[in-house]
Amino acid sequence: LKILLVIYLAAYLADRASMRLLSFPLLLPTLALTGMALMLLIVQRDLGTASIFISIFTAMIFFATGKRRILVSAVFLLSLTLLLGYYFIDIIHIRVMGWLNPWNDPTETSYQIVQSLLAVANGGTIGRGLGIGSPLLVPVAISDFIYAAIAEETGLIGALGLIALIWVIIARGLIASLRATDRFKRYLAAGIVIYIGVQSLLIIGGNMRLLPLTGVT
């Protein structure tokens, strides 16, 4: 669904490149489609993927218009949503509390993040070694917490290597976007690497307690 959203937005924005994209009638189809996808994700309580959808939508509208106020508005709306969710949605409240102080409840609501931090610390500088250590003590280590497992087995060196690899992929994708022969390919390449970058940021940030845990697989 995330890739389909990127393809749709790239095609839609490329077809209307010469028009005034910030006008509401032109943005309405993209808002409607993104809104329907967000409602589906909210009903499923998949808040991490919903955050990725909002980021993809915002970034691609910014690429097409060049208006920085698009980015400022998105940051404001996400912050407002997080604040409201903290007071009115139980899962967001639990995750924010676990982010602020996971040691208050290390065996229940904050169990995942505490185990993730212990696994990363256990890896040290060079890691425990491939297949050595206990990364599977972290719940969902093969998916949501894959970064913690990698950090335990390969250490700081492997974790920084992984981040460098992600950076290279994103940089190459943006270069491909700048060299593209038409607007559709330009927006498509940029949208895909933004998706990869935002998802990586949410996963790594959540595993390291730099961001609230979002549960992105």
Side-chain angles (χ1 to χ4, degrees), residues 122-170:
N122 195 37
T125 303
I126 61 174
R128 303 278 291 176
L130 295 179
I132 305 176
S134 305
L136 293 180
L137 288 178
V138 184
V140 207
I142 61 172
S143 180
D144 297 36
F145 284 85
I146 186 67
Y147 182 79
I150 293 171
E152 179 171 2
E153 293 196 350
T154 65
L156 177 64
I157 294 174
L160 291 177
L162 174 63
I163 293 173
L165 180 60
I166 294 170
W167 181 86
V168 169
I169 292 172
I170 294 171

mmCIF file of all heavy atoms in Angstrom, residues 122-170:
data_model
loop_
_atom_site.group_PDB
_atom_site.id
_atom_site.type_symbol
_atom_site.label_atom_id
_atom_site.label_comp_id
_atom_site.label_asym_id
_atom_site.label_seq_id
_atom_site.Cartn_x
_atom_site.Cartn_y
_atom_site.Cartn_z
ATOM 1 N N ASN A 122 24.573 -4.763 25.086
ATOM 2 C CA ASN A 122 25.275 -6.052 25.134
ATOM 3 C C ASN A 122 26.190 -6.230 23.931
ATOM 4 O O ASN A 122 27.185 -6.955 23.986
ATOM 5 C CB ASN A 122 24.263 -7.189 25.198
ATOM 6 C CG ASN A 122 24.892 -8.501 25.612
ATOM 7 O OD1 ASN A 122 25.798 -8.527 26.447
ATOM 8 N ND2 ASN A 122 24.422 -9.595 25.039
ATOM 9 N N GLY A 123 25.867 -5.553 22.820
ATOM 10 C CA GLY A 123 26.677 -5.698 21.620
ATOM 11 C C GLY A 123 28.025 -5.024 21.706
ATOM 12 O O GLY A 123 28.974 -5.437 21.031
ATOM 13 N N GLY A 124 28.121 -3.979 22.516
ATOM 14 C CA GLY A 124 29.394 -3.294 22.659
ATOM 15 C C GLY A 124 29.880 -2.683 21.356
ATOM 16 O O GLY A 124 29.091 -2.248 20.518
ATOM 17 N N THR A 125 31.197 -2.687 21.168
ATOM 18 C CA THR A 125 31.795 -2.056 19.992
ATOM 19 C C THR A 125 31.821 -2.978 18.779
ATOM 20 O O THR A 125 31.486 -2.569 17.669
ATOM 21 C CB THR A 125 33.230 -1.592 20.303
ATOM 22 O OG1 THR A 125 33.199 -0.709 21.423
ATOM 23 C CG2 THR A 125 33.832 -0.861 19.104
ATOM 24 N N ILE A 126 32.215 -4.232 18.992
ATOM 25 C CA ILE A 126 32.364 -5.149 17.850
ATOM 26 C C ILE A 126 31.298 -6.233 17.806
ATOM 27 O O ILE A 126 31.268 -7.034 16.873
ATOM 28 C CB ILE A 126 33.760 -5.799 17.861
ATOM 29 C CG1 ILE A 126 33.958 -6.609 19.142
ATOM 30 C CG2 ILE A 126 34.840 -4.741 17.706
ATOM 31 C CD1 ILE A 126 35.258 -7.404 19.161
ATOM 32 N N GLY A 127 30.414 -6.266 18.804
ATOM 33 C CA GLY A 127 29.314 -7.229 18.778
ATOM 34 C C GLY A 127 29.659 -8.566 19.398
ATOM 35 O O GLY A 127 30.826 -8.901 19.604
ATOM 36 N N ARG A 128 28.602 -9.334 19.650
ATOM 37 C CA ARG A 128 28.783 -10.663 20.226
ATOM 38 C C ARG A 128 29.191 -11.690 19.181
ATOM 39 O O ARG A 128 29.682 -12.756 19.502
ATOM 40 C CB ARG A 128 27.470 -11.104 20.881
ATOM 41 C CG ARG A 128 26.939 -10.167 21.948
ATOM 42 C CD ARG A 128 27.605 -10.381 23.269
ATOM 43 N NE ARG A 128 27.211 -11.663 23.831
ATOM 44 C CZ ARG A 128 27.695 -12.181 24.963
ATOM 45 N NH1 ARG A 128 28.617 -11.512 25.621
ATOM 46 N NH2 ARG A 128 27.285 -13.337 25.424
ATOM 47 N N GLY A 129 28.933 -11.369 17.910
ATOM 48 C CA GLY A 129 29.227 -12.308 16.837
ATOM 49 C C GLY A 129 27.942 -12.827 16.219
ATOM 50 O O GLY A 129 26.913 -12.928 16.889
ATOM 51 N N LEU A 130 27.998 -13.146 14.947
ATOM 52 C CA LEU A 130 26.808 -13.617 14.246
ATOM 53 C C LEU A 130 26.323 -14.933 14.850
ATOM 54 O O LEU A 130 27.095 -15.883 15.000
ATOM 55 C CB LEU A 130 27.108 -13.805 12.756
ATOM 56 C CG LEU A 130 27.453 -12.530 11.976
ATOM 57 C CD1 LEU A 130 27.751 -12.866 10.526
ATOM 58 C CD2 LEU A 130 26.318 -11.523 12.063
ATOM 59 N N GLY A 131 25.046 -14.972 15.204
ATOM 60 C CA GLY A 131 24.473 -16.174 15.804
ATOM 61 C C GLY A 131 24.793 -16.334 17.273
ATOM 62 O O GLY A 131 24.412 -17.332 17.884
ATOM 63 N N ILE A 132 25.500 -15.367 17.861
ATOM 64 C CA ILE A 132 25.874 -15.429 19.283
ATOM 65 C C ILE A 132 25.122 -14.325 20.020
ATOM 66 O O ILE A 132 24.745 -13.315 19.455
ATOM 67 C CB ILE A 132 27.392 -15.258 19.458
ATOM 68 C CG1 ILE A 132 28.140 -16.295 18.626
ATOM 69 C CG2 ILE A 132 27.800 -15.386 20.921
ATOM 70 C CD1 ILE A 132 29.648 -16.136 18.651
ATOM 71 N N GLY A 133 24.933 -14.504 21.306
ATOM 72 C CA GLY A 133 24.139 -13.547 22.069
ATOM 73 C C GLY A 133 22.701 -14.024 22.147
ATOM 74 O O GLY A 133 22.365 -15.141 21.761
ATOM 75 N N SER A 134 21.845 -13.155 22.640
ATOM 76 C CA SER A 134 20.436 -13.526 22.818
ATOM 77 C C SER A 134 19.513 -12.444 22.277
ATOM 78 O O SER A 134 18.658 -11.922 23.006
ATOM 79 C CB SER A 134 20.141 -13.771 24.305
ATOM 80 O OG SER A 134 21.018 -14.731 24.852
ATOM 81 N N PRO A 135 19.644 -12.086 20.994
ATOM 82 C CA PRO A 135 18.790 -11.013 20.458
ATOM 83 C C PRO A 135 17.314 -11.377 20.441
ATOM 84 O O PRO A 135 16.463 -10.492 20.468
ATOM 85 C CB PRO A 135 19.329 -10.826 19.031
ATOM 86 C CG PRO A 135 19.957 -12.135 18.680
ATOM 87 C CD PRO A 135 20.546 -12.629 19.968
ATOM 88 N N LEU A 136 17.006 -12.682 20.408
ATOM 89 C CA LEU A 136 15.599 -13.081 20.357
ATOM 90 C C LEU A 136 14.886 -12.912 21.695
ATOM 91 O O LEU A 136 13.683 -13.153 21.784
ATOM 92 C CB LEU A 136 15.473 -14.527 19.868
ATOM 93 C CG LEU A 136 15.889 -14.747 18.401
ATOM 94 C CD1 LEU A 136 15.733 -16.205 18.011
ATOM 95 C CD2 LEU A 136 15.060 -13.875 17.467
ATOM 96 N N LEU A 137 15.627 -12.509 22.745
ATOM 97 C CA LEU A 137 14.951 -12.129 23.987
ATOM 98 C C LEU A 137 14.137 -10.858 23.787
ATOM 99 O O LEU A 137 13.199 -10.588 24.539
ATOM 100 C CB LEU A 137 15.972 -11.928 25.107
ATOM 101 C CG LEU A 137 16.637 -13.190 25.665
ATOM 102 C CD1 LEU A 137 17.657 -12.824 26.729
ATOM 103 C CD2 LEU A 137 15.601 -14.154 26.227
ATOM 104 N N VAL A 138 14.502 -10.074 22.790
ATOM 105 C CA VAL A 138 13.723 -8.882 22.440
ATOM 106 C C VAL A 138 12.504 -9.341 21.641
ATOM 107 O O VAL A 138 12.655 -10.014 20.619
ATOM 108 C CB VAL A 138 14.551 -7.900 21.596
ATOM 109 C CG1 VAL A 138 13.747 -6.624 21.328
ATOM 110 C CG2 VAL A 138 15.860 -7.567 22.289
ATOM 111 N N PRO A 139 11.304 -9.023 22.090
ATOM 112 C CA PRO A 139 10.108 -9.443 21.344
ATOM 113 C C PRO A 139 10.121 -8.926 19.909
ATOM 114 O O PRO A 139 10.508 -7.792 19.652
ATOM 115 C CB PRO A 139 8.954 -8.821 22.151
ATOM 116 C CG PRO A 139 9.506 -8.639 23.535
ATOM 117 C CD PRO A 139 10.950 -8.323 23.337
ATOM 118 N N VAL A 140 9.738 -9.766 18.973
ATOM 119 C CA VAL A 140 9.642 -9.434 17.544
ATOM 120 C C VAL A 140 10.995 -8.940 17.007
ATOM 121 O O VAL A 140 11.062 -7.982 16.247
ATOM 122 C CB VAL A 140 8.538 -8.388 17.268
ATOM 123 C CG1 VAL A 140 8.010 -8.553 15.837
ATOM 124 C CG2 VAL A 140 7.381 -8.494 18.236
ATOM 125 N N ALA A 141 12.069 -9.631 17.405
ATOM 126 C CA ALA A 141 13.412 -9.216 16.986
ATOM 127 C C ALA A 141 13.633 -9.399 15.487
ATOM 128 O O ALA A 141 14.512 -8.764 14.916
ATOM 129 C CB ALA A 141 14.471 -10.001 17.761
ATOM 130 N N ILE A 142 12.853 -10.254 14.847
ATOM 131 C CA ILE A 142 13.034 -10.477 13.406
ATOM 132 C C ILE A 142 12.281 -9.453 12.569
ATOM 133 O O ILE A 142 12.342 -9.486 11.346
ATOM 134 C CB ILE A 142 12.566 -11.894 12.994
ATOM 135 C CG1 ILE A 142 11.080 -12.069 13.305
ATOM 136 C CG2 ILE A 142 13.391 -12.963 13.693
ATOM 137 C CD1 ILE A 142 10.494 -13.351 12.755
ATOM 138 N N SER A 143 11.580 -8.526 13.226
ATOM 139 C CA SER A 143 10.780 -7.563 12.468
ATOM 140 C C SER A 143 10.884 -6.173 13.080
ATOM 141 O O SER A 143 11.739 -5.390 12.711
ATOM 142 C CB SER A 143 9.316 -8.033 12.422
ATOM 143 O OG SER A 143 8.522 -7.140 11.701
ATOM 144 N N ASP A 144 10.018 -5.854 14.043
ATOM 145 C CA ASP A 144 9.987 -4.517 14.637
ATOM 146 C C ASP A 144 11.322 -4.125 15.263
ATOM 147 O O ASP A 144 11.723 -2.964 15.206
ATOM 148 C CB ASP A 144 8.901 -4.438 15.718
ATOM 149 C CG ASP A 144 7.510 -4.659 15.174
ATOM 150 O OD1 ASP A 144 7.369 -5.482 14.266
ATOM 151 O OD2 ASP A 144 6.564 -4.019 15.659
ATOM 152 N N PHE A 145 12.015 -5.095 15.863
ATOM 153 C CA PHE A 145 13.244 -4.802 16.602
ATOM 154 C C PHE A 145 14.471 -5.428 15.941
ATOM 155 O O PHE A 145 15.413 -5.843 16.620
ATOM 156 C CB PHE A 145 13.110 -5.266 18.057
ATOM 157 C CG PHE A 145 12.254 -4.363 18.897
ATOM 158 C CD1 PHE A 145 10.884 -4.521 18.919
ATOM 159 C CD2 PHE A 145 12.811 -3.335 19.629
ATOM 160 C CE1 PHE A 145 10.077 -3.672 19.669
ATOM 161 C CE2 PHE A 145 12.022 -2.485 20.388
ATOM 162 C CZ PHE A 145 10.647 -2.655 20.407
ATOM 163 N N ILE A 146 14.461 -5.466 14.619
ATOM 164 C CA ILE A 146 15.586 -6.053 13.899
ATOM 165 C C ILE A 146 16.873 -5.274 14.131
ATOM 166 O O ILE A 146 17.969 -5.852 14.173
ATOM 167 C CB ILE A 146 15.245 -6.138 12.387
ATOM 168 C CG1 ILE A 146 16.346 -6.873 11.627
ATOM 169 C CG2 ILE A 146 15.018 -4.757 11.792
ATOM 170 C CD1 ILE A 146 16.463 -8.327 11.971
ATOM 171 N N TYR A 147 16.772 -3.960 14.306
ATOM 172 C CA TYR A 147 17.984 -3.155 14.511
ATOM 173 C C TYR A 147 18.673 -3.531 15.819
ATOM 174 O O TYR A 147 19.904 -3.584 15.881
ATOM 175 C CB TYR A 147 17.643 -1.667 14.500
ATOM 176 C CG TYR A 147 18.856 -0.778 14.665
ATOM 177 C CD1 TYR A 147 19.702 -0.531 13.587
ATOM 178 C CD2 TYR A 147 19.155 -0.198 15.890
ATOM 179 C CE1 TYR A 147 20.825 0.275 13.734
ATOM 180 C CE2 TYR A 147 20.274 0.609 16.045
ATOM 181 C CZ TYR A 147 21.099 0.839 14.964
ATOM 182 O OH TYR A 147 22.212 1.635 15.110
ATOM 183 N N ALA A 148 17.888 -3.802 16.866
ATOM 184 C CA ALA A 148 18.473 -4.192 18.147
ATOM 185 C C ALA A 148 19.215 -5.516 18.017
ATOM 186 O O ALA A 148 20.295 -5.706 18.594
ATOM 187 C CB ALA A 148 17.379 -4.293 19.211
ATOM 188 N N ALA A 149 18.641 -6.449 17.253
ATOM 189 C CA ALA A 149 19.298 -7.733 17.041
ATOM 190 C C ALA A 149 20.602 -7.568 16.272
ATOM 191 O O ALA A 149 21.627 -8.182 16.608
ATOM 192 C CB ALA A 149 18.354 -8.671 16.287
ATOM 193 N N ILE A 150 20.591 -6.735 15.246
ATOM 194 C CA ILE A 150 21.804 -6.467 14.468
ATOM 195 C C ILE A 150 22.868 -5.805 15.343
ATOM 196 O O ILE A 150 24.054 -6.156 15.288
ATOM 197 C CB ILE A 150 21.481 -5.585 13.248
ATOM 198 C CG1 ILE A 150 20.609 -6.362 12.256
ATOM 199 C CG2 ILE A 150 22.752 -5.091 12.563
ATOM 200 C CD1 ILE A 150 20.064 -5.528 11.123
ATOM 201 N N ALA A 151 22.443 -4.850 16.176
ATOM 202 C CA ALA A 151 23.387 -4.134 17.037
ATOM 203 C C ALA A 151 24.022 -5.072 18.062
ATOM 204 O O ALA A 151 25.210 -4.933 18.385
ATOM 205 C CB ALA A 151 22.686 -2.983 17.750
ATOM 206 N N GLU A 152 23.260 -6.054 18.572
ATOM 207 C CA GLU A 152 23.838 -6.981 19.545
ATOM 208 C C GLU A 152 24.857 -7.908 18.882
ATOM 209 O O GLU A 152 25.917 -8.179 19.441
ATOM 210 C CB GLU A 152 22.752 -7.815 20.224
ATOM 211 C CG GLU A 152 23.345 -8.804 21.214
ATOM 212 C CD GLU A 152 22.315 -9.512 22.065
ATOM 213 O OE1 GLU A 152 21.116 -9.279 21.880
ATOM 214 O OE2 GLU A 152 22.738 -10.312 22.925
ATOM 215 N N GLU A 153 24.550 -8.383 17.691
ATOM 216 C CA GLU A 153 25.431 -9.363 17.057
ATOM 217 C C GLU A 153 26.631 -8.718 16.369
ATOM 218 O O GLU A 153 27.695 -9.338 16.276
ATOM 219 C CB GLU A 153 24.643 -10.195 16.052
ATOM 220 C CG GLU A 153 23.606 -11.093 16.717
ATOM 221 C CD GLU A 153 23.098 -12.181 15.803
ATOM 222 O OE1 GLU A 153 23.394 -12.133 14.591
ATOM 223 O OE2 GLU A 153 22.417 -13.092 16.298
ATOM 224 N N THR A 154 26.484 -7.494 15.855
ATOM 225 C CA THR A 154 27.587 -6.852 15.121
ATOM 226 C C THR A 154 28.151 -5.624 15.829
ATOM 227 O O THR A 154 29.135 -5.053 15.361
ATOM 228 C CB THR A 154 27.129 -6.442 13.711
ATOM 229 O OG1 THR A 154 26.108 -5.425 13.812
ATOM 230 C CG2 THR A 154 26.566 -7.635 12.947
ATOM 231 N N GLY A 155 27.529 -5.203 16.920
ATOM 232 C CA GLY A 155 28.048 -4.110 17.722
ATOM 233 C C GLY A 155 27.900 -2.742 17.072
ATOM 234 O O GLY A 155 27.193 -2.567 16.075
ATOM 235 N N LEU A 156 28.606 -1.779 17.645
ATOM 236 C CA LEU A 156 28.545 -0.406 17.142
ATOM 237 C C LEU A 156 29.032 -0.324 15.699
ATOM 238 O O LEU A 156 28.459 0.403 14.885
ATOM 239 C CB LEU A 156 29.392 0.507 18.029
ATOM 240 C CG LEU A 156 29.496 1.970 17.603
ATOM 241 C CD1 LEU A 156 28.133 2.651 17.663
ATOM 242 C CD2 LEU A 156 30.515 2.712 18.466
ATOM 243 N N ILE A 157 30.067 -1.093 15.379
ATOM 244 C CA ILE A 157 30.617 -1.060 14.020
ATOM 245 C C ILE A 157 29.574 -1.512 13.006
ATOM 246 O O ILE A 157 29.352 -0.863 11.976
ATOM 247 C CB ILE A 157 31.876 -1.947 13.933
ATOM 248 C CG1 ILE A 157 32.990 -1.349 14.795
ATOM 249 C CG2 ILE A 157 32.339 -2.096 12.481
ATOM 250 C CD1 ILE A 157 34.219 -2.224 14.889
ATOM 251 N N GLY A 158 28.909 -2.618 13.281
ATOM 252 C CA GLY A 158 27.886 -3.121 12.364
ATOM 253 C C GLY A 158 26.684 -2.206 12.273
ATOM 254 O O GLY A 158 26.119 -2.003 11.184
ATOM 255 N N ALA A 159 26.281 -1.618 13.420
ATOM 256 C CA ALA A 159 25.125 -0.723 13.430
ATOM 257 C C ALA A 159 25.403 0.537 12.614
ATOM 258 O O ALA A 159 24.560 0.992 11.831
ATOM 259 C CB ALA A 159 24.765 -0.358 14.871
ATOM 260 N N LEU A 160 26.601 1.107 12.782
ATOM 261 C CA LEU A 160 26.968 2.284 11.995
ATOM 262 C C LEU A 160 27.106 1.926 10.517
ATOM 263 O O LEU A 160 26.773 2.730 9.641
ATOM 264 C CB LEU A 160 28.276 2.883 12.515
ATOM 265 C CG LEU A 160 28.220 3.547 13.897
ATOM 266 C CD1 LEU A 160 29.594 4.038 14.313
ATOM 267 C CD2 LEU A 160 27.208 4.682 13.919
ATOM 268 N N GLY A 161 27.599 0.722 10.238
ATOM 269 C CA GLY A 161 27.689 0.264 8.849
ATOM 270 C C GLY A 161 26.323 0.163 8.202
ATOM 271 O O GLY A 161 26.141 0.538 7.033
ATOM 272 N N LEU A 162 25.347 -0.327 8.959
ATOM 273 C CA LEU A 162 23.979 -0.434 8.444
ATOM 274 C C LEU A 162 23.405 0.951 8.150
ATOM 275 O O LEU A 162 22.792 1.176 7.096
ATOM 276 C CB LEU A 162 23.093 -1.164 9.455
ATOM 277 C CG LEU A 162 21.610 -1.235 9.112
ATOM 278 C CD1 LEU A 162 21.384 -2.012 7.821
ATOM 279 C CD2 LEU A 162 20.814 -1.853 10.249
ATOM 280 N N ILE A 163 23.610 1.896 9.070
ATOM 281 C CA ILE A 163 23.117 3.257 8.865
ATOM 282 C C ILE A 163 23.786 3.886 7.643
ATOM 283 O O ILE A 163 23.144 4.574 6.843
ATOM 284 C CB ILE A 163 23.358 4.109 10.130
ATOM 285 C CG1 ILE A 163 22.486 3.591 11.281
ATOM 286 C CG2 ILE A 163 23.070 5.583 9.864
ATOM 287 C CD1 ILE A 163 22.764 4.246 12.609
ATOM 288 N N ALA A 164 25.096 3.634 7.482
ATOM 289 C CA ALA A 164 25.815 4.156 6.318
ATOM 290 C C ALA A 164 25.254 3.569 5.027
ATOM 291 O O ALA A 164 25.110 4.270 4.015
ATOM 292 C CB ALA A 164 27.303 3.848 6.440
ATOM 293 N N LEU A 165 24.918 2.278 5.048
ATOM 294 C CA LEU A 165 24.350 1.633 3.866
ATOM 295 C C LEU A 165 22.998 2.245 3.506
ATOM 296 O O LEU A 165 22.714 2.512 2.335
ATOM 297 C CB LEU A 165 24.198 0.129 4.118
ATOM 298 C CG LEU A 165 23.604 -0.704 2.978
ATOM 299 C CD1 LEU A 165 24.469 -0.603 1.735
ATOM 300 C CD2 LEU A 165 23.461 -2.161 3.409
ATOM 301 N N ILE A 166 22.168 2.484 4.525
ATOM 302 C CA ILE A 166 20.870 3.130 4.287
ATOM 303 C C ILE A 166 21.085 4.524 3.698
ATOM 304 O O ILE A 166 20.398 4.932 2.752
ATOM 305 C CB ILE A 166 20.061 3.214 5.600
ATOM 306 C CG1 ILE A 166 19.681 1.808 6.082
ATOM 307 C CG2 ILE A 166 18.799 4.058 5.413
ATOM 308 C CD1 ILE A 166 19.097 1.772 7.472
ATOM 309 N N TRP A 167 22.060 5.256 4.240
ATOM 310 C CA TRP A 167 22.363 6.600 3.732
ATOM 311 C C TRP A 167 22.783 6.545 2.265
ATOM 312 O O TRP A 167 22.362 7.374 1.459
ATOM 313 C CB TRP A 167 23.463 7.231 4.578
ATOM 314 C CG TRP A 167 23.827 8.612 4.140
ATOM 315 C CD1 TRP A 167 23.240 9.789 4.507
ATOM 316 C CD2 TRP A 167 24.856 8.971 3.214
ATOM 317 N NE1 TRP A 167 23.842 10.849 3.875
ATOM 318 C CE2 TRP A 167 24.835 10.380 3.077
ATOM 319 C CE3 TRP A 167 25.796 8.238 2.484
ATOM 320 C CZ2 TRP A 167 25.717 11.064 2.256
ATOM 321 C CZ3 TRP A 167 26.674 8.925 1.663
ATOM 322 C CH2 TRP A 167 26.633 10.311 1.547
ATOM 323 N N VAL A 168 23.616 5.559 1.902
ATOM 324 C CA VAL A 168 24.073 5.429 0.515
ATOM 325 C C VAL A 168 22.884 5.150 -0.414
ATOM 326 O O VAL A 168 22.770 5.737 -1.497
ATOM 327 C CB VAL A 168 25.128 4.312 0.396
ATOM 328 C CG1 VAL A 168 25.399 3.982 -1.079
ATOM 329 C CG2 VAL A 168 26.424 4.736 1.077
ATOM 330 N N ILE A 169 21.983 4.262 0.018
ATOM 331 C CA ILE A 169 20.804 3.946 -0.796
ATOM 332 C C ILE A 169 19.959 5.196 -1.019
ATOM 333 O O ILE A 169 19.513 5.487 -2.139
ATOM 334 C CB ILE A 169 19.968 2.838 -0.121
ATOM 335 C CG1 ILE A 169 20.741 1.524 -0.132
ATOM 336 C CG2 ILE A 169 18.619 2.673 -0.820
ATOM 337 C CD1 ILE A 169 20.082 0.424 0.679
ATOM 338 N N ILE A 170 19.730 5.966 0.055
ATOM 339 C CA ILE A 170 18.925 7.184 -0.060
ATOM 340 C C ILE A 170 19.623 8.209 -0.954
ATOM 341 O O ILE A 170 18.998 8.833 -1.826
ATOM 342 C CB ILE A 170 18.654 7.776 1.338
ATOM 343 C CG1 ILE A 170 17.761 6.825 2.131
ATOM 344 C CG2 ILE A 170 18.000 9.152 1.230
ATOM 345 C CD1 ILE A 170 17.598 7.206 3.589
#
